Amino acid sequence: MVASYDLLLVALSYLVAAMASYTALSISGRLGQAKQDDSRYWRVGGAIVMGTGIWSMHFTGMLAFQLPVALGYDIVRTLLSWLLALGACWVALSLLSRHAFRWRSVLAGGGLMGLGISAMHYTGMAALMMTPAITYRPGLFALSVLVAIGASIAALVICFKLRQARRHLGWYQLLAAQVMALAITGMHYTGMTAAEFAPGAVCGARHALSVPMMATLVVGGSLALLTIAWIVTMLDARLESQTAKLAASLRAANEELLRINARDSLTGLANRRAFEAKLAELQAGGDALSVAFIDLDGFKPVNDSLGHQVGDEVLVAVGQRLAEAGGRRNLLARVGGDEFILLVIGARERPYLNSLASRLIEAVREPIEVGRNMVELSCSIGIASYPTDTDEVKRLIAMADSAMYEVKRSGKNHVRFYSPELDLASGNLVERQRELRNALAQRQFMLYFQPKLNPYSGELNGVEALVRWQHPERGIVAPQEFIPMMERFGLIVELGNQVLELALQALQRWLAADRAIPVAINISPQQFGRDGFAEHIIARLTHYGVPHRLLTLEITETVVMADMARTEAVLNRLREAGIPVSLDDFGTGYSSLSLLRVLAPNELKIDRSFIKDLAQSPAARVIVAPIIEMAHSLGMTVVAEGVENEAQAEVLRTLGCDELQGFHYARPMTGEDFARWCFEQPSLAAVPA
């Protein structure tokens, strides 16, 4: 029986094979990149798409095959051929999901896949159910099986190789798909050529799946499936490309973030984290290293008097100067408000380090011009070296810090090299911290009270509560000896809370004795800056049953300038609650005059530095007089502190000052002494509640 072919369908079968091959290559690429869980789904979906594509190519080729008898296809055998195609593709994709290329695995997998495709082809031929049965030429039959195996092996090799490609992947994939399509169609048509149909043969399945039905099923369904699979693959590839770009952007952003995190936001210098990382990196090299700890002298008054913006500009200028003086090879970092550390690489000789320290001191000493202000500073430097002073690089910073504090203690503005005896001082520092913590725990702090008097009548207007440390061995310790340490160790907030409790307890006792004496307490910047500060004060007043008007909170300009918006909000809350606020040490700050109208404190305390020369200096009176006048115009009470003699008091009375405080009237006293003092004053015999 003579057969013929529909060339249009032959071309279509090649197109189906090409699409199936291209989709298979795309899916194989996804297998190499997918995670383990995703890879399983890609294998299942890929086996269905690839198997259906190869099966569709086979039956499209079968449809192109024409005999002079009616043809049809047995449903069961047609379905079985499809399942064989799926199985062959599952074997191939399972092999491709392994990342390593091994020839043994490729040959074995290609052989199984080729046999599966051959079984699919010849099962599909058997679905014709020809009578008499189809016979095959042995040579061509064997050749068709070998072509299937060879095509399968070639397909696996191509898939593995394409996975390693980086450039022009799309063109390589397209070319490879053409090669695979030629191999698949070559196998099919070799097998068809091997088939022999007896004259007068009849198709037993002509009443099952007819040719038109099969054509619709094969061509329509397979093309739709392959198209959808191809689109999904392309979208996935595009998404993956976008994901890769996003990942690259995230890596770049992360690197930038790491760079930013390694820099001080104000000066652009390295921060402590970056400095310590560099120390650790250099430690492995065993080179000589030195650390110079640099602390600015006199920087706090710059912030207090000129404001934080000027202070920031000064720090930036100092950082630039220190970086230039320190040398390009060395690393400068800013580690605190006005603290810098310089890592000196490859040097530990004292003469060289001493010369370097001198250059740093001179760089800082040069006046800094900021706007209309000329700022002059100095610095204290401590230096420690590795391995001269220690064989532990990580201790260098602490050792240099100890040396620097010794400079601060002994006069500032010079350099000190680390020496072992400083360990004793460090030990003393640790002991002092432990001692202060113990003092807080055992409530060894007490209040002294200094009266504030009406300068005209001599009546008591209130008191300022001043904290003292009742040391079990040293007796009464003045605040200047422990307040700086409290601030350094982070204990000042807890101390402030104890002072508040002691002041409220005193107020409660005095109220019980029908004496309503207003008490003023000092509030540290750290205490004022705590969240819920105003609510805490209000809650404690309520707890002790003390009228809000009897507790005055004294704050300094340092508190005000730290965060203007927050300060204004806290002061408004205190004002709403009826709690008076006093601006302490007024006159020493650059920004005070411009802030008074905004902040509107209840009370203004003129700093003692202006009172000291008030009787002898007309210049002092020229400053104090307008301050009092301005405060009165804004409805504020004016208190002068540090009044030590009658001449000063007389000038202040003449200028209209509302309250006077100082040794001329009374020194700070314990609660018991203050009670006796009150009864000894004729004008203070009765202060009604």
Side-chain angles (χ1 to χ4, degrees):
M1 187 179 294
V2 180
S4 61
Y5 288 92
D6 185 330
L7 295 180
L8 182 61
L9 289 176
V10 170
L12 180 60
S13 70
Y14 175 80
L15 178 62
V16 172
M19 289 186 63
S21 299
Y22 189 86
T23 304
L25 292 171
S26 299
I27 290 173
S28 72
R30 303 280 78 73
L31 284 171
Q33 299 162 6
K35 297 179 181 178
Q36 185 174 1
D37 292 342
D38 295 339
S39 177
R40 187 179 302 113
Y41 297 121
W42 275 108
R43 285 203 304 274
V44 172
I48 294 173
V49 172
M50 285 178 62
T52 301
I54 295 173
W55 178 84
S56 298
M57 177 270 145
H58 166 75
F59 276 97
T60 303
M62 293 284 289
L63 292 173
F65 179 74
Q66 297 177 350
L67 288 174
V69 295
L71 298 177
Y73 300 90
D74 177 66
I75 295 176
V76 174
R77 295 185 185 187
T78 300
L79 179 61
L80 178 60
S81 68
W82 178 66
L83 293 175
L84 288 170
L86 299 189
C89 292
W90 173 262
V91 171
L93 293 178
S94 296
L95 182 63
L96 287 171
S97 65
R98 303 172 187 173
H99 291 266
F101 176 86
R102 294 186 179 88
W103 273 110
R104 182 183 300 177
S105 299
V106 169
L107 292 174
L112 288 173
M113 182 179 176
L115 291 174
I117 291 174
S118 297
M120 177 273 299
H121 173 81
Y122 289 106
T123 301
M125 293 288 287
L128 289 169
M129 299 184 68
M130 299 299 294
T131 304
I134 302 172
T135 59
Y136 295 94
R137 300 171 188 175
L140 290 175
F141 175 83
L143 179 60
S144 69
V145 175
L146 289 176
V147 169
I149 293 173
S152 299
I153 292 173
L156 292 177
V157 172
I158 289 171
C159 289
F160 272 116
K161 296 302 180 184
L162 280 179
R163 189 184 298 171
Q164 301 171 1
R166 292 291 182 268
R167 300 177 60 189
H168 310 299
L169 179 60
W171 289 107
Y172 287 146
Q173 197 164 290
L174 187 61
L175 179 61
Q178 305 310 310
V179 174
M180 288 177 63
L182 285 171
I184 294 170
T185 53
M187 176 270 156
H188 171 81
Y189 288 109
T190 301
M192 293 296 292
T193 305
E196 292 184 337
F197 295 87
V202 177
C203 177
R206 61 185 180 277
H207 299 300
L209 283 173
S210 64
V211 171
M213 291 173 60
M214 195 66 179
T216 302
L217 175 65
V218 170
V219 178
S222 61
L223 285 178
L225 181 61
L226 288 172
T227 301
I228 292 171
W230 180 75
I231 291 173
V232 169
T233 304
M234 292 302 100
L235 289 175
D236 181 74
R238 184 175 180 182
L239 178 60
E240 183 183 336
S241 175
Q242 293 174 341
T243 303
K245 291 179 181 178
L246 179 59
S249 299
L250 287 174
R251 280 195 301 273
N254 188 55
E255 290 171 0
E256 178 65 14
L257 184 60
L258 290 174
R259 188 189 68 79
I260 292 172
N261 285 340
R263 293 286 166 187
D264 173 57
S265 59
L266 175 62
T267 63
L269 299 171
N271 58 19
R272 191 182 191 104
R273 184 185 299 108
F275 190 91
E276 291 176 344
K278 187 65 174 179
L279 263 183
E281 176 188 331
L282 293 173
Q283 181 180 16
D287 294 335
L289 301 171
S290 295
V291 168
F293 203 111
I294 308 159
D295 185 87
L296 301 184
D297 304 324
F299 178 73
K300 186 177 183 298
V302 174
N303 260 350
D304 291 346
S305 61
L306 301 180
H308 284 264
Q309 183 175 352
V310 172
D312 288 347
E313 293 183 42
V314 169
L315 288 174
V316 171
V318 168
Q320 292 173 348
R321 292 183 181 184
L322 290 173
E324 292 174 5
R328 293 185 178 180
R329 184 186 179 191
N330 302 322
L331 176 66
L332 180 70
R334 177 174 175 244
V335 293
D338 59 349
E339 294 178 334
F340 299 83
I341 46 178
L342 179 69
L343 176 59
V344 186
I345 302 171
R348 59 177 176 175
E349 297 79 12
R350 288 286 177 93
Y352 171 79
L353 294 173
N354 203 41
S355 174
L356 175 61
S358 297
R359 293 201 304 272
L360 296 172
I361 290 172
E362 287 302 317
V364 174
R365 187 179 293 161
E366 191 72 22
I368 301 171
E369 186 175 354
V370 181
R372 292 179 293 179
N373 303 293
M374 191 65 69
V375 177
E376 295 185 12
L377 299 171
S378 62
C379 66
S380 301
I381 301 177
I383 298 179
S385 299
Y386 165 87
T388 305
D389 298 319
T390 178
D391 56 0
E392 297 181 50
V393 170
K394 62 183 180 181
R395 290 195 61 212
L396 282 177
I397 298 176
M399 295 167 75
D401 188 22
S402 296
M404 183 275 295
Y405 269 104
E406 181 62 20
V407 176
K408 288 281 192 184
R409 191 190 65 78
S410 60
K412 306 179 181 180
N413 194 31
H414 63 279
V415 62
R416 168 79 187 255
F417 289 90
Y418 172 82
S419 57
E421 58 264 24
L422 291 178
D423 284 336
L424 179 60
S426 297
N428 290 340
L429 205 59
V430 173
E431 175 60 24
R432 178 59 62 86
Q433 182 179 15
R434 185 199 63 77
E435 195 176 29
L436 287 171
R437 289 186 182 279
N438 184 62
L440 285 170
Q442 296 187 7
R443 297 192 172 274
Q444 294 176 1
F445 295 97
M446 60 183 298
L447 294 185
Y448 274 46
F449 301 95
Q450 186 172 32
K452 297 191 294 184
L453 298 136
N454 184 307
Y456 310 104
S457 65
E459 292 182 350
L460 179 68
N461 283 3
V463 295
E464 180 180 4
L466 303 166
V467 65
R468 298 289 186 269
W469 181 8
Q470 194 171 20
H471 196 283
E473 298 174 0
R474 296 163 56 196
I476 301 300
V477 180
Q480 58 266 28
E481 293 189 38
F482 62 85
I483 292 294
M485 289 294 176
M486 285 286 194
E487 292 174 339
R488 183 178 180 187
F489 298 145
L491 304 175
I492 196 67
V493 173
E494 187 174 351
L495 176 63
N497 289 336
Q498 287 197 13
V499 168
L500 172 65
E501 296 295 317
L502 291 170
L504 292 176
Q505 290 167 11
L507 278 167
Q508 193 179 51
R509 289 194 302 272
W510 296 338
L511 286 170
D514 291 329
R515 298 177 65 82
I517 304 173
V519 176
I521 61 173
N522 292 282
I523 303 296
S524 71
Q526 295 94 322
Q527 190 179 6
F528 188 86
R530 286 294 181 94
D531 290 338
F533 168 76
E535 284 66 27
H536 175 70
I537 297 292
I538 295 168
R540 301 317 294 162
L541 282 164
T542 303
H543 174 78
Y544 283 100
V546 172
H548 293 187
R549 63 181 175 82
L550 295 182
L551 180 69
T552 298
L553 306 180
E554 293 191 2
I555 62 174
T556 64
E557 291 178 9
T558 303
V559 172
V560 172
M561 295 300 296
D563 185 341
M564 275 298 302
R566 184 187 179 281
T567 298
E568 190 173 355
V570 173
L571 292 181
N572 286 337
R573 180 70 184 96
L574 294 171
R575 191 178 296 114
E576 291 170 1
I579 301 172
V581 174
S582 173
L583 190 58
D584 199 7
D585 299 334
F586 185 81
T588 61
Y590 175 80
S591 55
S592 301
L593 298 177
S594 62
L595 292 174
L596 281 180
R597 284 187 60 186
V598 177
L599 300 178
N602 304 84
E603 181 181 279
L604 209 62
K605 294 192 77 172
I606 302 175
D607 186 68
R608 66 182 64 246
S609 61
F610 294 100
I611 306 302
K612 179 180 178 182
D613 301 322
L614 194 60
Q616 301 85 18
S617 171
R621 289 195 292 273
V622 168
I623 294 173
V624 173
I627 290 177
I628 295 174
E629 184 179 352
M630 176 193 61
H632 285 165
S633 68
L634 294 173
M636 302 173 193
T637 299
V638 181
V639 180
E641 57 182 350
V643 180
E644 298 181 352
N645 53 59
E646 179 57 29
Q648 295 169 345
E650 181 58 33
V651 173
L652 289 167
R653 280 193 287 267
T654 303
L655 295 176
C657 190
D658 300 295
E659 295 178 2
L660 304 182
Q661 176 185 346
F663 287 179
H664 177 57
Y665 295 102
R667 292 177 176 270
M669 299 169 275
T670 64
E672 294 77 7
D673 289 342
F674 172 68
R676 286 193 293 271
W677 180 87
C678 285
F679 285 106
E680 290 172 1
Q681 305 302 312
S683 60
L684 302 176
V687 182

